[in-house]
Amino acid sequence: MDELLKQLTLEEKVSLLGGQDFWSLPAMPRIGLRSLVMSDGPIGVRGTGWAPEDPSIALPSPTALAATWDPALARTAGLLLGQESRRKGVHVLLGPTVNLQRTPLGGRHFECYSEDPLLSGEIGAGFVAGVQAQGVGTTVKHLVGNDFETERMTVDVRIGERALREVYLAPFERIVKAGAWGVMSAYNGVNGLPMASNGPLQQGVLKDEWGFDGVVVSDWRAARDTVGAALGGLDIAMPALENPWGPKLVQAVHDGKVAEDLIDDKVRRVLRLAERVGALGSAERPQLEVLDGDAVAREVAARSFVLARNEHYALPLEAAALTRIAVIGALATDARVRGGGSAQVTPPHVVSPLEGLVRALPGVDIAHAVGADPRPFLPALAGPAEVTLLGAGHTFEVPAAAVRWIGDLPGGVAPDQVSGLELATTFTPVEDGEHTFAVSGFGSFQLSVGAQEFAIGALHPAGTGRADLLLAPKEQRVVVSLTADVPVEVRLRQSIQPGLAHTVSATLGHQPPGVSAEGMLAEAEKLARESDVAIVVVGTTEQVESEGFDRTSLALPGRQDELVVRVAAANPRTIVVVNAGSPVLLPWAQDVAAIVLTWFPGQEAGAALADVLLGVTEPGGRLPATWPRREQDCPIYAVQPRDGVLGYDEGVFLGYRAWDLAGTPPLYAFGHGHGYTTWEYESLVVTATEAVVTLVNTGARTGREVVQLYAGPSGPAPAGVGRRGVVPQRPSRWLAGFTPVEAHPGESVTVRIPLPERTWQVWDGGWHTVPGTYAVTAAHALDDPRLTATLTL
């Protein structure tokens, strides 16, 4: 690396530390350096732009992946996305997100793994190992404290040193020490310093203490201080737009504010990354086995589904005994397979719950009713539409009337060539009456339906920032009377400001004439009453769970709760499928036969659901976060900063640790989840470094179990530990280890679960092992202990 550094001028060195556009770093051909390309993740690889002819595999959400409690499966998911990255010419995948699920209101709760640092770290380490085995880099994000979205660009998060070390930094430390090649710094500040300029954490802890030899990349436009970011441990400032480095950083070096040796260290890190991902000299990426994306997406989904309730063994369904099934809910045909914001990708297909069941049960009468529609925006008009980039003359086809991209334009068109776009399609109504059309996105719009013209204009006030435009879309609706079977031409024209075509969103929604909200509920009741079993799909929407804002309530949107109550009253065999990325309130939980939590299940949603409901696959998921019974029960809830500050005053007591401290039982505890078989735990032997658990499958079918180990003090700790000779207050128990197992009926299995030294330590100016007696419990879930052993240190 040093030989290459000697060939570069200061200006050339600095040029390698900032984006040349939205997604990449510049090449330097004379030293053999090719451009490093980055792409959003973490459920798929979007690439540098949106190309309808080149869709992206969509895996289940990160919370779903954590619900598998299986680092090996996480590695498989990583291998697949590494494979996708290579196919799309991407060198660095921007993920995984290992911020903690501190409060269920967090807008990106679905994009994080868990409320527990150990589970987050292990799943993240598996995922990163898979991606990087393909010769693709990762950026573990967002370092640190980006556990909510409100005022995320400017908020100062106050976290005590102990909580930082034991909880919030722990998953980052686990993954970095496992060999991560990149870390992304957060927008927010921590303890008075913006993270992009936070030298104590990025330089002091991450690089100096943990020995991190990779790159620290800013979140997009998070680096705002030329000298502060340079001295604060940042290596790459992204993107090119409003970048604080370039000539300003060169001048800072000339002015003696930043040492050139520090610039050299950053460039070494960039070159090291380029070598690792095959973008420097003759370096090549490894060739690995090609994975089947559909198969991996289907397996991860099924293994993530949590069977939260299964009264009287309502599941699995016996296909031979079914003649008619009611499938109810708007999300039964329009599944939420991903969260909103930068996690969005366009998959090659989406198997809806209804479609999955129809495919799996060809001889069964399966009928659908909407019942209640929670979507505040109308779904995109179905059917192919032609899109023309005005000014550039480039046209392409989309499968539905919606376009959205960040970065490169379709067809490689330059942004400054585009003055707008036109989306055109022929619509043939199925029924007479008043059809509702809706326009959403940003820019200024004109809509024509047949001979009728509508000047929609701008949907947002002048001066609205690009991030707010993208993350907080608005909608305007018009009503048009149409005649059944008479085709009409529909055109939506969007004006785009010069040079801003790198970020575009436009959707033409449609709703046919229909019954009233009360009529839809009555129709669902009637269908449920006339069916053998009713499957109700409820969930959230993109306007509820997304990057850019936090939730304001845990209630299901719309009249979905009422729908479940009325359907359950009409049919006691009601199975509720909860299609939400984060905890939601289930006030009817005790009134239905079964509840399956499917998270945001990715493109194979319906196929995996049919597998689980019919018993082809066992639901393998266990909760990675606590689900509350009521909002007021949540020990940590608020996400609203005061005067730009949010204090994490609970210290290390978050998630199930906080629930234990409060003494309030939740609806479903951390680690909860049923299977289709039963298990007996036979023995538990514990040492300071390992737990050995033997268990037997006592059921009638092959199944999977997640053995969960919890540790906690069984009595007061002796004095003399730590900097002040006093042991800080500790949780009553914490997750110490876990492993998934599989066994045939009657088969006994023995597993050995490592117990790292950190299990017994607290941070008090350094890591200190706390002597004393500990209870170590092998459990099916936090509230379902099976065996306990004691250990004295």
Side-chain angles (χ1 to χ4, degrees), residues 506-521:
T507 298
L508 174 62
H510 172 256
Q511 182 180 67
V515 296
S516 65
E518 184 61 35
M520 289 193 296
L521 285 164

Side-chain angles (χ1 to χ4, degrees), residues 359-413:
R359 287 184 191 175
L361 296 167
V364 177
D365 178 16
I366 300 178
H368 176 252
V370 172
D373 191 342
R375 298 168 296 186
F377 286 15
L378 298 186
L381 181 65
E386 184 179 80
V387 179
T388 301
L389 298 183
L390 303 176
H394 179 70
T395 63
F396 56 93
E397 189 174 274
V398 292
V403 293
R404 179 187 175 105
W405 66 76
I406 307 172
D408 295 348
L409 277 63
V413 174

Side-chain angles (χ1 to χ4, degrees), residues 616-675:
V616 177
T617 302
E618 186 181 40
R622 304 291 186 267
L623 287 182
T626 308
W627 277 50
R629 191 181 306 275
R630 305 176 304 169
E631 290 178 342
Q632 59 265 40
D633 293 340
C634 296
I636 304 171
Y637 194 64
V639 291
Q640 184 62 51
R642 292 186 178 181
D643 299 323
V645 174
L646 186 64
Y648 285 13
D649 299 330
E650 69 280 354
V652 300
F653 292 89
L654 77 154
Y656 61 86
R657 308 173 188 212
W659 284 90
D660 274 353
L661 187 65
T664 305
L667 178 62
Y668 299 125
F670 181 78
H672 173 77
H674 300 295

Side-chain angles (χ1 to χ4, degrees), residues 163 189 220 397 461 489 496 737 739:
W220 266 228
E397 189 174 274
E489 296 298 316
I496 300 173
T739 190

Side-chain angles (χ1 to χ4, degrees), residues 606-618:
L609 181 63
D611 287 344
V612 165
L613 295 183
L614 298 174
V616 177
T617 302
E618 186 181 40

Side-chain angles (χ1 to χ4, degrees), residues 185-201:
S185 63
Y187 286 118
N188 55 276
V190 170
N191 297 335
L193 285 174
M195 276 310 306
S197 302
N198 200 310
L201 291 178

Side-chain angles (χ1 to χ4, degrees), residues 707-727:
V707 180
Q708 304 168 33
L709 287 180
Y710 296 93
S714 65
V721 176
R723 186 169 48 185
R724 291 175 293 273
V726 177
V727 177

Side-chain angles (χ1 to χ4, degrees), residues 152-170:
R152 64 172 178 162
M153 298 289 187
T154 57
V155 66
D156 182 27
V157 183
R158 302 287 172 84
I159 312 176
E161 183 70 12
R162 182 184 169 212
L164 260 176
R165 295 292 191 146
E166 293 186 24
V167 180
Y168 294 98
L169 287 174

